[in-house]
Amino acid sequence: MDKTMHAELPGLSVFAEQASVTPYAAVDAVDQTYFNDVYLLAPVGYFVLAFDTTILQMNVVGADLLGLARNNPERAQLRQFVAPRFHDDFDDFLRRAVNTSQPEQCDLQIQRHRSQQGFPVTLRASADSSGQGIRVVLELAEGKLAALERSEERFRRIVHNAEEGIWEIDAAARTSFVNPKMAQMLGYSIEDMLEQPLVAFMDDEGRTILERNIARRQQGLSERHEFKFIRKDGSELWATLATNPIFDSDGSYRGALALVSDITASRASAELIWQQANFDALTALPNRHMFQDRLSQEMKKARREGLLLALLFIDLDGFKQVNDTLGHEQGDLLLVEAARRIGACVRNSDTVARLGGDEFTVILSGLEQAPGVERIAQSMLALLNRPFALGMAQPSISASVGIALFPSDAASPEDLLRCADQAMYAAKQSGRNRYSYFTQDLQLAAQARQQVTLDLRAALAESQFELHYQPIINLQSGRIERAEALLRWRHPQRGLLAPADFLPFAESGGMMLEIGDWVFRQAAAQLRLWQDELGRGFQVSVNQSAAQLRGDTALYVEWLRLATRLGLPPRSIVLEITEGVLLDGAARVSDRLRELREMGLQVALDNFGTGYSSLAHLKHFGIDLLKLDHSFIQHLANDSGDLVMCEALIVMAHKLGLRVVAEGVETPAQSGLLAMAGCDYAQGFVYAGALPAEELTALAKRGLGLLN
């Protein structure tokens, strides 16, 4: 036997002696989960097999004996290494092992390759305690001394070339051996580490954990723990230590042997995944997931301690306009600064979170009374109202803040968030740049909105919707050549309702696509009748919401197919949008409008002149018709500035190849002035309001008589 090996690896020799005396007993005594750690260096081959003898796990000696990679990527079976003449013996041996609670033994020959001479071995096996496999120990059929000498030689080769760190400490927790990999992992030479206490490579926290674990190892317990070591350069090494105690022949504790695996990269990856799952990437605030967890915990704490908790829901007013005009990069900078300002108004113990977009929440915990919440809300409003320095621009925004209190407003996290959200909307509807508490009135209003949504669904199913049409007159000929489809709801109890009475509820309830589809189909069917009666050039316009433009292109494709089936030229259908729709995700809307025009549908820009950057939109979005807002028309007179404005807009539109429709025309004088200014079309009460289809048909046939 090589005596130098004992001096170099005293613990390994002892471990080898113990394992070689009772190999199967050692295998059977330790939980399977520690296989890779406890048995990795055992001087006998150790295998876990599937019932078809596929090798699921093996230690280094087993892999070395068979000439396999330890992870067995080829899914080799142990049976293929058994010499063919011993196959029947091997099969019978495994059959007995699976069907008995006692280990079975078999002597046979193993061949690494069919062309090589086999070598005799002894196998011991029994069914795994989980019942899912077979555990097998393989020993070379030679004397104990020869086996031990062969093991010492193999250990020397394995230990010095191992890809895992091997670290042995003595009874005083001083380093008695490390392999090259272990020294490399910590950035030291082997000589620098020998005789050094294990704690010399740990921080204070690691030392505390180590002291507790050494005491457990002295009791004979094998353990697996994660430790943080400090490398020579001061950086951190996170590692998994699987330790096995070493005892001498009289049972005295001699130290421990540890298998060390570097998990720094995987731990960093796990921390990154956790960070991404719980924190907003832009502002570094807790995201919705972490916010919900913290809100739940803080509410439990408030309930336990009998204190108040306030939840603030903050929505930035005017952020979308900044984002659209200055660009997303500047918008992101504004959000980061807004998050900082909100955080400056609260305590370190409070939670500020970003739910998404321009929505933030604040959890104010441990409150004894409510008035303090108002001071915080006022501070936030004041800070958020200050100009934001974004390069050359200094935009100003405001905020709408909703406040809900626990336990008075809600008992669950979900309900409390809903209350704060409703309170925020109340603040926004009251004029913005203010805060609002949640009240019972808000709750009743929310319930009423929910009921309206249910009623709207019933209205679709029970055909309670109607389309009325307002005529659009050609100002040069005086004929009705177009009509705008306007939705009405004939409510069973409330009578005929205008869109303003119910469309906001349809939008919040997610019903705009269904209702819009119904409107288009009804209008298309009516247009088919009008083109038969009033001429092929008759057109109908249908209003489109932001939700519809964001929807699937397949909806518009289906509409085009419907028009084809009805024999309608696509250009006879006009889709009306407001400038507010254009601002709702400009890039996506631009793409959608381009798709619609390629399909042959026309697009009209409604309420022109009341939005932001209207002239730019005319060129960018490819508009066909311009509808002048009624605010330009209502004070129209010979000497008014409104007439000059209308004339200028009409000339500009014609230069761009657009036709112009004047909305809200109420007097014959306004109609005459618009005709002289060169306006193409007009609509308003001076001609007719919204009419049922049959009344508009009759009016179109007999003529208006207004311009004759």
Side-chain angles (χ1 to χ4, degrees):
M1 187 186 304
D2 187 348
K3 300 299 183 183
T4 61
M5 190 66 181
H6 283 287
E8 196 173 354
L9 296 171
L12 292 182
S13 299
V14 172
F15 185 76
E17 291 167 2
Q18 291 176 334
S20 62
V21 172
T22 55
Y24 196 87
V27 167
D28 202 50
V30 183
D31 190 275
Q32 175 67 29
T33 58
Y34 290 107
F35 165 78
N36 286 327
D37 312 318
V38 178
Y39 302 123
L40 184 70
L41 299 176
V44 293
Y46 182 86
F47 304 87
V48 176
L49 309 180
F51 288 120
D52 64 353
T53 80
T54 297
I55 301 171
L56 304 177
Q57 292 177 309
M58 59 182 145
N59 67 353
V60 290
V61 169
D64 185 66
L65 288 171
L66 300 183
L68 291 176
R70 195 156 66 87
N71 61 355
N72 191 17
E74 303 300 326
R75 310 297 292 170
Q77 296 179 335
L78 183 60
R79 190 177 189 273
Q80 73 188 57
F81 295 95
V82 176
R85 67 179 183 276
F86 290 96
H87 278 175
D88 291 343
D89 295 338
F90 178 73
D91 295 341
D92 183 62
F93 157 68
L94 287 186
R95 192 177 301 111
R96 286 184 283 110
V98 169
N99 293 294
T100 181
S101 59
Q102 298 299 317
E104 292 292 327
Q105 180 172 319
C106 177
D107 295 323
L108 45 77
Q109 282 194 350
I110 292 293
Q111 289 179 302
R112 293 182 61 169
H113 300 287
R114 291 294 180 225
S115 60
Q116 294 182 348
Q117 183 177 355
F119 51 89
V121 299
T122 297
L123 301 182
R124 296 182 179 84
S126 69
D128 184 76
S129 58
S130 67
Q132 303 300 310
I134 308 168
R135 293 190 288 179
V136 175
V137 174
L138 183 154
E139 282 188 284
L140 294 173
E142 53 189 347
K144 298 291 185 184
L145 183 59
L148 196 56
E149 288 177 343
R150 185 185 295 271
S151 297
E152 295 280 10
E153 180 182 352
R154 183 178 292 114
F155 282 156
R156 181 188 295 277
R157 182 177 69 253
I158 292 172
V159 167
H160 283 273
N161 293 289
E163 286 301 313
E164 292 156 300
I166 299 172
W167 198 334
E168 184 187 66
I169 59 171
D170 60 20
R174 301 179 71 86
T175 303
S176 53
F177 172 80
V178 290
N179 70 338
K181 180 64 176 180
M182 187 69 253
Q184 177 192 346
M185 287 163 62
L186 288 173
Y188 291 94
S189 66
I190 294 176
E191 292 75 16
D192 290 339
M193 293 186 65
L194 292 176
E195 302 303 322
Q196 292 296 318
L198 192 57
V199 295
F201 307 98
M202 294 181 168
D203 58 14
D204 292 338
E205 180 184 3
R207 294 181 187 117
T208 302
I209 297 173
L210 179 67
E211 290 172 359
R212 182 169 63 250
N213 289 337
I214 286 177
R216 291 172 61 85
R217 281 198 296 273
Q218 289 174 345
Q219 299 171 11
L221 299 175
S222 298
E223 293 188 309
R224 181 188 183 96
H225 290 283
E226 288 185 6
F227 282 99
K228 180 177 69 176
F229 292 99
I230 307 300
R231 293 188 176 101
K232 186 176 183 179
D233 62 6
S235 61
E236 296 179 352
L237 167 72
W238 280 95
T240 299
L241 266 72
T243 58
N244 198 59
I246 300 173
F247 299 94
D248 59 20
S249 57
D250 62 3
S252 299
Y253 175 73
R254 289 186 51 180
L257 184 66
L259 180 71
V260 184
S261 301
D262 185 351
I263 61 169
T264 305
S266 60
R267 187 181 179 93
S269 176
E271 288 181 355
L272 177 60
I273 292 171
W274 182 86
Q275 182 79 15
Q276 292 173 338
N278 291 281
F279 288 88
D280 174 51
L282 177 64
T283 63
L285 294 176
N287 61 12
R288 182 181 292 271
H289 178 267
M290 176 163 277
F291 159 74
Q292 291 172 334
D293 180 69
R294 287 194 181 177
L295 180 59
S296 177
Q297 296 304 318
E298 291 295 344
M299 289 178 69
K300 290 177 182 177
K301 182 179 178 182
R303 184 181 290 111
R304 186 170 59 249
E305 298 177 357
L307 296 173
L308 294 175
L309 179 145
L311 177 60
L312 278 59
F313 197 115
I314 305 159
D315 185 86
L316 303 183
D317 306 322
F319 169 73
K320 188 175 186 337
Q321 187 175 13
V322 174
N323 209 34
D324 290 340
T325 56
L326 298 182
H328 292 289
E329 183 176 346
Q330 297 298 314
D332 287 348
L333 292 176
L334 188 148
L335 289 173
V336 172
E337 174 61 15
R340 188 196 66 77
R341 295 184 187 185
I342 293 171
C345 298
V346 301
R347 304 163 298 179
N348 290 334
S349 58
D350 298 322
T351 296
V352 180
R354 182 187 177 209
L355 299 190
D358 59 351
E359 292 181 342
F360 297 85
T361 54
V362 176
I363 304 171
L364 303 175
S365 56
L367 301 176
E368 295 184 358
Q369 51 186 359
V373 179
E374 290 188 27
R375 291 193 296 272
I376 293 173
Q378 290 168 350
S379 297
M380 287 182 186
L381 292 174
L383 275 180
L384 291 172
N385 217 359
R386 295 178 182 175
F388 287 76
L390 303 178
M392 298 296 292
Q394 291 197 350
S396 293
I397 63 169
S398 60
S400 299
V401 181
I403 304 172
L405 301 176
F406 171 82
S408 58
D409 290 335
S412 71
E414 297 80 11
D415 290 341
L416 191 66
L417 179 60
R418 192 176 301 114
C419 292
D421 188 16
Q422 292 174 7
M424 182 274 293
Y425 275 107
K428 196 173 285 289
Q429 292 168 1
S430 298
R432 306 186 177 192
N433 194 27
R434 65 195 63 208
Y435 63 86
S436 174
Y437 280 99
F438 175 80
T439 66
Q440 187 61 27
D441 290 340
L442 287 173
Q443 180 66 22
L444 293 174
Q447 292 173 348
R449 289 194 296 271
Q450 292 174 354
Q451 185 58 51
V452 173
T453 302
L454 294 175
D455 291 345
L456 283 168
R457 295 196 179 280
L460 264 179
E462 298 171 12
S463 302
Q464 295 174 9
F465 288 125
E466 300 176 6
L467 281 188
H468 288 196
Y469 300 87
Q470 186 170 33
I472 300 175
I473 290 79
N474 184 318
L475 286 174
Q476 305 308 313
S477 68
R479 297 178 56 195
I480 298 174
E481 295 183 356
R482 301 167 177 266
E484 179 180 355
L486 298 168
L487 182 63
R488 298 291 185 265
W489 180 9
R490 194 166 294 281
H491 195 282
Q493 287 80 40
R494 300 170 61 191
L496 194 64
L497 301 180
D501 296 323
F502 60 87
L503 281 188
F505 302 102
E507 189 160 3
S508 62
M511 293 190 60
M512 289 302 295
L513 294 181
E514 297 172 73
I515 293 176
D517 185 55
W518 182 89
V519 168
F520 185 91
R521 292 175 181 278
Q522 292 294 116
Q526 182 59 51
L527 178 59
R528 173 69 274 164
L529 297 176
W530 277 334
Q531 289 199 353
D532 291 340
E533 294 185 70
L534 304 177
R536 294 283 293 173
F538 201 90
Q539 292 181 303
V540 168
S541 58
V542 179
N543 291 286
Q544 295 289 285
S545 68
Q548 288 171 288
L549 283 179
R550 287 194 302 266
D552 194 340
T553 307
L555 175 66
Y556 294 99
V557 173
E558 184 57 36
W559 287 358
L560 199 61
R561 289 173 180 164
L562 172 64
T564 302
R565 289 197 299 271
L566 292 174
L568 294 173
R571 292 185 62 80
S572 61
I573 300 173
V574 182
L575 301 180
E576 288 197 17
I577 60 174
T578 64
E579 199 162 47
V581 172
L582 297 183
L583 291 172
D584 190 359
R588 185 168 183 179
V589 170
S590 178
D591 292 341
R592 176 53 49 81
L593 292 179
R594 185 176 61 255
E595 292 172 0
L596 296 178
R597 297 193 73 209
E598 289 173 354
M599 292 178 185
L601 299 170
Q602 289 198 325
V603 178
L605 183 60
D606 200 4
N607 304 128
F608 178 77
T610 61
Y612 182 82
S613 187
S614 299
L615 299 180
H617 287 156
L618 296 180
K619 183 178 180 181
H620 180 69
F621 289 101
I623 304 300
D624 297 290
L625 281 87
L626 206 63
K627 300 191 74 173
L628 297 180
D629 187 72
H630 68 90
S631 61
F632 289 106
I633 313 301
Q634 58 186 351
H635 301 300
L636 205 60
N638 280 318
D639 58 350
S640 71
D642 287 333
L643 179 58
V644 175
M645 178 66 74
C646 286
E647 289 174 338
L649 290 174
I650 291 167
V651 170
M652 177 200 66
H654 287 167
K655 289 285 187 181
L656 293 173
L658 310 181
R659 285 170 293 174
V660 181
V661 181
E663 296 183 288
V665 182
E666 297 180 354
T667 68
Q670 293 170 352
S671 179
L673 289 172
L674 287 166
M676 287 189 293
C679 188
D680 302 293
Y681 300 96
Q683 66 183 102
F685 288 119
V686 68
Y687 313 114
L691 304 172
E694 59 273 13
E695 292 184 24
L696 188 144
T697 303
L699 182 63
K701 285 182 176 180
R702 69 172 181 265
L704 293 171
L706 184 65
L707 302 177
N708 297 336

